[in-house]
Amino acid sequence: MMLTSESHVNFHKSSYSSAKGQDCVEFAEFATGAAVRDTQNRELGPLSFPPLEWTALLRSATGQ
C-alpha cells in the first residue's frame, strides 16, 4: 500500500521522539494501514505499511 496523498492523513509525533525536537518521528494510522515519517525531513515523504505489516512491526518493537 502506498500513501499517495497526505492531505487526509493526520500525523502525530511519536511519544518516543526526543523532547528537544531532534530525532522526531511522526506516525499516522488510517483505514488501509499506517505510515511513518521523519519530522525534520517531511518533504521526503512517509514510509507506508499495510495493516498486517504495521501490526507486526509494533509487536516486534514492543517485544510481544
Side-chain angles (χ1 to χ4, degrees):
M1 183 232 105
M2 294 296 295
L3 182 62
T4 57
S5 172
E6 296 179 44
S7 61
H8 66 285
V9 177
N10 189 17
F11 280 89
H12 303 278
K13 183 177 171 184
S14 169
S15 60
Y16 292 99
S17 292
S18 165
K20 294 181 181 181
Q22 299 174 354
D23 305 321
C24 295
V25 175
E26 297 175 325
F27 72 97
E29 294 181 297
F30 39 92
T32 58
V36 294
R37 68 181 181 189
D38 180 350
T39 303
Q40 294 183 355
N41 296 293
R42 291 180 180 140
E43 70 281 357
L44 297 176
L47 178 61
S48 302
F49 298 90
L52 290 177
E53 289 182 13
W54 181 244
T55 300
L57 175 70
L58 294 178
R59 285 185 179 155
S60 175
T62 61
Q64 294 181 1

